[in-house]
Amino acid sequence: MAGWDIHTPNLGALPLRITSAALWISVTRHQTQNYERVLDFVNVIWKQVPGLVTYRHYLKLCIAFKAKLLMEMFVKRQSLLDILQTLEQYFPKVVVNDPKAERFSQRTTMPAAVSQTGSIVDPG
């Protein structure tokens, strides 16, 4: 094949649009057998185009699809070992420190507490 000039046309965003349309159909029709592909697609899009969705929305999508896949395993009565392995894979006990998550979880000041009498108590 040396010397062959193979020309691939520049299709732009067409493959991305076709893929997203096919996955959207899977989601709207509740075709859970394709949810792992949808989850992979969401992860790829998040890494390639990080500004497309907010971090919070990205996490909600990932958690929702993972939970739905786990629930489908229960419905299909798969073995408990398979379910537990998938659970550990999707929701590990050790969570990696994510700098984006820290930004939302840290507070700059301690919130004021309310006593039983209804008066505001300064925690500092």
Side-chain angles (χ1 to χ4, degrees):
M1 294 182 108
W4 286 19
D5 185 20
I6 299 174
H7 176 70
T8 55
N10 182 9
L11 299 175
L14 184 61
L16 179 64
R17 293 181 72 182
I18 291 171
T19 304
S20 60
L23 293 174
W24 178 248
I25 289 170
S26 294
V27 171
T28 57
R29 292 183 181 168
H30 304 288
Q31 297 172 339
T32 54
Q33 70 270 16
N34 294 326
Y35 278 9
E36 226 171 303
R37 290 180 183 158
V38 174
L39 188 58
D40 290 341
F41 181 76
V42 168
N43 285 323
V44 167
I45 292 298
W46 172 254
K47 290 175 185 171
Q48 297 297 319
V49 190
L52 192 60
V53 295
T54 64
Y55 184 70
R56 177 179 244 163
H57 193 192
Y58 162 73
L59 286 179
K60 283 183 177 182
L61 284 170
C62 289
I63 290 171
F65 284 118
K66 289 175 182 179
K68 183 64 177 173
L69 284 166
L70 279 166
M71 294 306 296
E72 193 65 24
M73 291 177 81
F74 280 106
V75 169
K76 291 181 178 177
R77 298 184 182 267
Q78 292 188 3
S79 73
L80 185 58
L81 182 61
D82 289 343
I83 293 172
L84 290 175
Q85 287 173 342
T86 305
L87 181 65
E88 181 64 30
Q89 174 191 352
Y90 287 161
F91 303 104
K93 293 177 187 173
V94 178
V95 179
V96 178
N97 236 354
D98 191 347
K100 292 179 183 173
E102 287 180 21
R103 183 171 56 117
F104 292 111
S105 62
Q106 292 178 348
R107 292 181 184 240
T108 54
T109 60
M110 292 284 293
V114 178
S115 72
Q116 290 179 348
T117 62
S119 60
I120 296 177
V121 179
D122 186 15

